[in-house]
């Protein structure tokens, strides 16, 4: 068997941004169900206000109910002391996660997956940033986050990882091509920031293409050693993120101490998708724990954003110092 390639082929360098078809379908289903709810509500009550409220609120209420169930399952599946907080704190974490999830998953992702990211407007930085979304998501997950990066002076790009439920190893080519293209366009080394599955996909890509111009990887809520929540998903990629999966074991065993030292793992003790929380801790990496945040909130909350910017600044300072 021939050895795997160590550099991308550049045969599939991303060109014009394309919308994510599965998420467009999801958006169409949302609209269709809203019409059904409106017709059913009008038929039952003949009230314009009742019809309006049910049509507007059925999706947020459904999403919020599902997230509440996820937090309950996570609490039962991971009785770690870090999760023991007051009822008021739990409600606040759930409420912010609802707002972040509805905004990113139900509004941004169906309609803005091909939206361009803003150019940098702050001081020149010594690195560029490639953003990788998580399971079931697309690049629109990063639209809000990218504005903060641009304001801080960072060139950034985000890509869609497809197929949606495919093999994580199959994302490596797309990530490598995007990394190479970003580095060539900006003439800067790249820091890869991956949320959830995106962080694992970044590690898998660097295993296959170790000579890419990537100086650091930041993971946000990535299940480095799997998650119990994987049993509720579909697709090959979610099976690869099961606790103790052969794929995750092989990925971990393939990494050197030097490779781990170039990873920062940021995670939350109140994660409602990745649990037990210890599965996000990566030995040899720089592990940073947050609390009072949900899974999607890691991609929007100011505390998480500040840690990413601090990491980028630290990496940039190291480059300036020749480290």
């Amino acid at each position: 068997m021939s050895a795997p390639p160590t550099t991308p082929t550049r045969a599939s360098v991303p060109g014009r941004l394309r919308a994510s078809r599965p998420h467009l379908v999801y958006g169409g289903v949302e609209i269709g169900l809203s019409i059904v709810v409106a017709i059913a509500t009008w038929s039952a009550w003949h009230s314009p206000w009742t019809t309006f409220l049910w049509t507007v609120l059925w999706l947020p209420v459904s999403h919020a109910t599902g997230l509440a169930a996820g937090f309950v399952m996570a609490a039962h599946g991971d009785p770690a002391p870090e999760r023991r907080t007051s009822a008021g704190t739990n409600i606040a974490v759930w409420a912010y996660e609802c707002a972040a999830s509805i905004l990113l998953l139900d509004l941004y992702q169906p309609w803005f997956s091909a939206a361009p990211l803003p150019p940098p407007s702050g001081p020149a930085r010594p690195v560029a940033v490639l953003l990788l979304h998580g399971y079931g998501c697309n690049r629109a997950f990063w639209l809000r986050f990218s504005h903060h990066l641009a304001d801080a002076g960072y060139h950034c790009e985000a890509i869609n990882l497809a197929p949606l439920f495919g093999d994580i190893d199959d994302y490596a080519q797309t990530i490598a091509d995007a990394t190479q293209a970003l580095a060539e366009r900006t003439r800067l080394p790249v820091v890869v920031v991956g949320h959830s599955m995106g962080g694992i996909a970044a590690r898998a890509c660097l295993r296959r293409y170790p000579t890419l111009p990537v100086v650091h990887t930041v993971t946000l809520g990535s299940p480095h050693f799997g998650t119990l929540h994987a049993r509720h998903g579909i697709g090959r990629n979610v099976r690869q993120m099961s606790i103790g999966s052969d794929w995750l074991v092989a990925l971990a065993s393939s990494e050197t101490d030097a490779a781990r030292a170039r990873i920062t793992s940021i995670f939350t003790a109140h994660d409602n998708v990745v649990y037990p929380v210890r599965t996000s801790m990566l030995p040899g990496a720089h592990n940073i724990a947050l609390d009072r945040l949900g899974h999607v909130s890691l991609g929007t909350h100011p505390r998480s954003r500040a840690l990413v910017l601090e990491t980028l600044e630290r990496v940039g300072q190291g480059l300036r110092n020749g480290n």
Side-chain angles (χ1 to χ4, degrees), residues 83-321:
R83 287 189 181 271
R84 297 174 187 170
T85 53
S86 66
T89 297
N90 289 332
I91 291 173
V93 172
W94 166 79
Y96 190 93
E97 182 73 359
C98 287
S101 297
I102 292 168
L103 176 68
L104 298 184
L105 307 187
D106 290 330
L107 297 178
Y108 278 19
Q109 290 196 157
W111 314 116
F112 299 105
S113 62
L117 303 191
S121 57
R125 299 292 185 172
V127 296
V129 182
L130 180 67
L131 301 164
L132 305 180
H133 63 76
Y135 172 77
C137 296
N138 64 46
R139 63 188 297 279
F141 180 90
W142 296 109
L143 285 181
R144 285 175 60 86
F145 199 95
S146 65
H147 282 274
H148 296 286
L149 290 175
D151 289 343
Y154 291 99
H155 290 272
C156 57
E157 187 52 88
I159 57 175
N160 291 325
L161 301 178
L164 205 61
F165 305 120
D167 191 312
I168 295 176
D169 281 321
D170 291 343
Y171 303 143
Q173 183 72 63
T174 301
I175 297 170
D177 289 343
T179 300
Q180 197 70 39
L182 180 60
E184 291 178 4
R185 176 170 63 84
T186 62
R187 298 185 179 180
L188 296 171
V190 174
V191 174
V192 178
V193 178
H195 177 256
S196 195
M197 182 194 73
I200 298 176
R203 290 172 56 204
C205 175
L206 291 172
R207 172 178 61 176
R208 182 175 176 184
Y209 300 117
T211 61
L212 282 172
V214 174
V215 293
H216 203 79
T217 301
V218 181
T219 67
L220 297 170
S222 293
H224 295 298
F225 292 96
T227 171
L228 290 173
H229 203 74
R231 58 194 171 187
H232 304 297
I234 59 173
R236 180 168 177 78
N237 47 8
V238 81
R239 292 194 298 273
Q240 290 171 316
M241 291 186 287
S242 299
I243 289 181
S245 75
D246 292 340
W247 187 87
L248 283 175
V249 171
L251 176 62
S253 63
S254 69
E255 290 175 322
T256 64
D257 292 341
R260 288 283 180 86
R262 293 192 295 271
I263 299 175
T264 296
S265 175
I266 300 171
F267 56 93
T268 168
H270 294 91
D271 202 311
N272 53 305
V273 172
V274 176
Y275 57 89
V277 66
R278 56 182 169 77
T279 63
S280 288
M281 300 177 66
L282 192 60
H286 184 47
N287 294 285
I288 305 176
L290 292 170
D291 62 357
R292 292 171 288 131
L293 288 180
H295 188 68
V296 172
S297 300
L298 284 168
T300 62
H301 199 277
R303 287 192 292 138
S304 175
R305 186 171 67 240
L307 283 176
V308 173
L309 289 172
E310 288 174 14
T311 301
L312 292 173
E313 179 63 33
R314 174 170 55 85
V315 172
Q317 188 62 47
L319 291 175
R320 285 189 287 264
N321 294 338

